[in-house]
Amino acid sequence: MLSGLASLRSRHTFHDLSAVLFRMEASCLELALEGERLCKVGDYSGGVSFFEAAIQVGTEDLQVLSAIYSQLGNAYFHLHDYTKALEFHHHDLTLTRTMGDLLGEAKASGNLGNTLKALGRFDEAVVFCQRHLDISRDAGDKVGQARALYNFGNVYHAKGKSTSRNDSEPGCFPEEVTTALKKAAEYYEANLCIVKELGDRAALGRTCGNLGNTQYLLGNFRSAVASHQQRLLIAKEFGDRAAERRAYCNLGNAYIFLGEFEKAAEHYKRALQLARQLKDRAVEAQACYSLGNTYTLLQDYERAIDYHLKHLIIAQDLNDRIGEGRACWSLGNAHTALGNHDQAMHFAERHLEISKETGDRSGELTARLNVSDLQMVLGLSYSTNNSVLSENKEIDYNLHGARPRMSRRHSMENLELMKLTPDKLNRVSADMLGDEGFFDLLSRFQGNRMDDQRCSLQEGRARKATATSSSSSSTSSSPPTNLKKSFSESAVSPGQEAFLGALASAQGRRLEDQRGVGTLPGLRSLQPSQSCGSRQAVLNQLMASDDASEPDDQFFDMLVKCQSSRLNDQRCAPPSAPVRGPTVPDEDFFSLILRSQAKRMDEQRVTLPSVH
């Protein structure tokens, strides 16, 4: 269905339709074909324009319309307009079910699952992924099964990542997150069995990459390495340098947590080379940042400074203030480790300035601590710089959910480098408003809404004037009975009359929108003399489906599963993840660096002899 518009056009040349209808049909197909061509070359905005134009022209062929819905939904998905994508994939599902096209229904269900996943509605996404899988299994469609299993894995993978805490390390997530990630791994492994059987190397590579990422999050770093090495092999086989770069980066991340820092550095360097070949400066900066962190773990601070400076330059070129701030923080730490306190102070103050500018409260707290520490080391007075620790008193720590570590360090021997690491952004409490204030605000808001929905009708006008007014304003969209009664019982001003007329028209349109066929844009009705038997039967089925009083059991089963997630949807969403700049990778290894530095400090302590 997704690529069959050309064959549908050739089939339409044999339709026994009137010349006018044929010209309209050809125009719809030509528009759709141009939209399909533009989407294939990555011009999704242009594709949307042509698909929307095709819908405006309309068609009576349900297969053509289904293909347009599907491709239009996919185009909106690529443009990240998931609400519109959901709308057209729903239209596609309605149409395919009406036509009895099970394979089309399976594809539409898969598209809906992907879109709902992107919207964060994971429980609903699971329902449609299951429908996709069930139909594919019943039809013996191996390709469809593989796609459904892959989509299932993606849903649980995304669910696990979305509910995980930002400050948690791989392998240390709550049970809910771990359960979702384990399910994702199971579905990816089931997918691998089928794509290996089908000999689909490209699909095999994609699944290996996702499975490696899932195993990484579960803390199974050796398994992650094995999957990413397979992904790397297939990426090289296809000459996919972007996938090759991602594989090298993911391998570097896994080797970091295995403690094999030299191997990690080797893989990050390969990722950096590929990023430069691809001329992707943001990704190049990410590789430099990862290399800087790796050399920090290796205690090679000179190299760390070199890579962090490269990251800083690119972040400045790309106007990535968040990345620039993170680079300044890293450079300050590295210079502190080398005893370059003046340089360290320069970068610590820049970090503080940028944190204030970007609203990074956690970064600001950390920068203040760093500046204060360096002032003590350099023998500066606390009052000689604006970035003094005493200003911390102005910060409400309760807003961040936890107090920062305020331990002081009074000498270079006790200066733990990575204690300067900024913590992950803390959550802002949702209890800013008390319950009483919230309900009072809600009551007043709802009261205003009720008042807004009332319309005061002036009384005292003559019935004759009212009758004349109401008769002259009657249109094809006649007002409901209760509105007619209001017209006849009381007089209205011209302004009120216009308002009531508009309201009546709007209500009429709402009734039309609730009818099944009216909700399918682009479906052109046929005259009885022009209808084909099978197609007219399908249209009749569409009309009849609106009056069906008893949906089947399958409908209720899906409804119950979807409704079960509505309560969760109504709960307050957790605070959004900290904003990352385009030059900062997901993996900062902050906690790992902290532990590494703490271990070094422990190793420097002298064990007191035991007393006998």
Side-chain angles (χ1 to χ4, degrees), residues 1-2 61-71 88-112 128 131 135 520 523 538 541-542:
M1 181 189 298
L2 300 181
D61 190 296
L62 302 184
Q63 290 184 354
V64 171
L65 192 57
S66 175
I68 293 173
Y69 286 158
S70 181
Q71 294 206 46
F88 284 101
H89 287 314
H90 266 304
H91 290 329
D92 188 27
L93 182 66
T94 300
L95 212 49
T96 53
R97 281 181 175 173
T98 302
M99 293 187 295
D101 179 4
L102 282 176
L103 291 181
E105 181 184 346
K107 292 177 182 177
S109 297
N111 288 333
L112 280 167
F128 288 103
R131 181 61 177 159
I135 295 174
L520 293 177
L523 180 61
V538 172
Q541 184 180 352
L542 269 173

Side-chain angles (χ1 to χ4, degrees), residues 256-257 261 264 290-301 304 418 588-597 600:
I256 284 286
F257 279 92
F261 302 142
S290 296
L291 279 164
N293 285 338
T294 304
Y295 281 114
T296 295
L297 289 167
L298 287 167
Q299 302 172 32
D300 188 344
Y301 300 111
M418 288 308 162
D588 289 346
F589 312 125
F590 286 155
S591 57
L592 191 66
I593 295 175
L594 271 172
R595 288 204 311 273
S596 174
Q597 295 298 322
R600 286 183 57 213

Side-chain angles (χ1 to χ4, degrees), residues 193-204 238:
C193 293
I194 296 179
V195 295
K196 286 178 181 177
E197 178 184 342
L198 294 172
D200 188 342
R201 297 284 291 171
L204 180 65
F238 281 89

Side-chain angles (χ1 to χ4, degrees), residues 127-143:
V127 174
F128 288 103
C129 287
Q130 187 63 58
R131 181 61 177 159
H132 185 191
L133 182 59
D134 290 342
I135 295 174
S136 299
R137 280 176 174 167
D138 291 343
D141 179 7
K142 289 287 187 179
V143 174

